[in-house]
Amino acid sequence: DMPFMPDGTPLDIVLVLDASGSIDDPMSESDTTKRIGALKNAAYSFIDRIALQNEGIYVSPFAKPFTSH
């Protein structure tokens, strides 16, 4: 099932992706896949499967903690 509003209107989608230094680390001691590789694969898969069927997709990397005021 694709993500749409209840009336069938497509969604605008925002992906906020980690771009901090730790993203270059391996997934775990037993899995040497780098986190950045897994993130890219997941983002491409999401875009191919879900996002292209909606209005727009926006990608925003972040490397610093979010603070709200």
Side-chain angles (χ1 to χ4, degrees), residues 21-36:
S22 65
I23 197 69
D24 200 37
D25 292 345
M27 296 292 285
S28 68
E29 289 183 22
S30 61
D31 183 353
T32 59
T33 303
K34 289 199 173 193
R35 293 176 184 179
I36 188 69

Side-chain angles (χ1 to χ4, degrees), residues 1-68:
D1 294 328
M2 298 299 134
F4 293 97
M5 297 294 291
D7 67 358
T9 304
L11 301 172
D12 285 330
I13 297 171
V14 178
L15 294 177
V16 180
L17 306 176
D18 185 357
S20 65
S22 65
I23 197 69
D24 200 37
D25 292 345
M27 296 292 285
S28 68
E29 289 183 22
S30 61
D31 183 353
T32 59
T33 303
K34 289 199 173 193
R35 293 176 184 179
I36 188 69
L39 176 64
K40 286 179 182 179
N41 289 339
Y44 288 138
S45 177
F46 180 83
I47 290 167
D48 288 344
R49 189 163 172 230
I50 304 290
L52 292 179
Q53 298 177 24
N54 285 278
E55 286 295 308
I57 180 160
Y58 308 92
V59 177
S60 176
F62 74 90
K64 296 180 181 179
F66 174 78
T67 39
S68 63

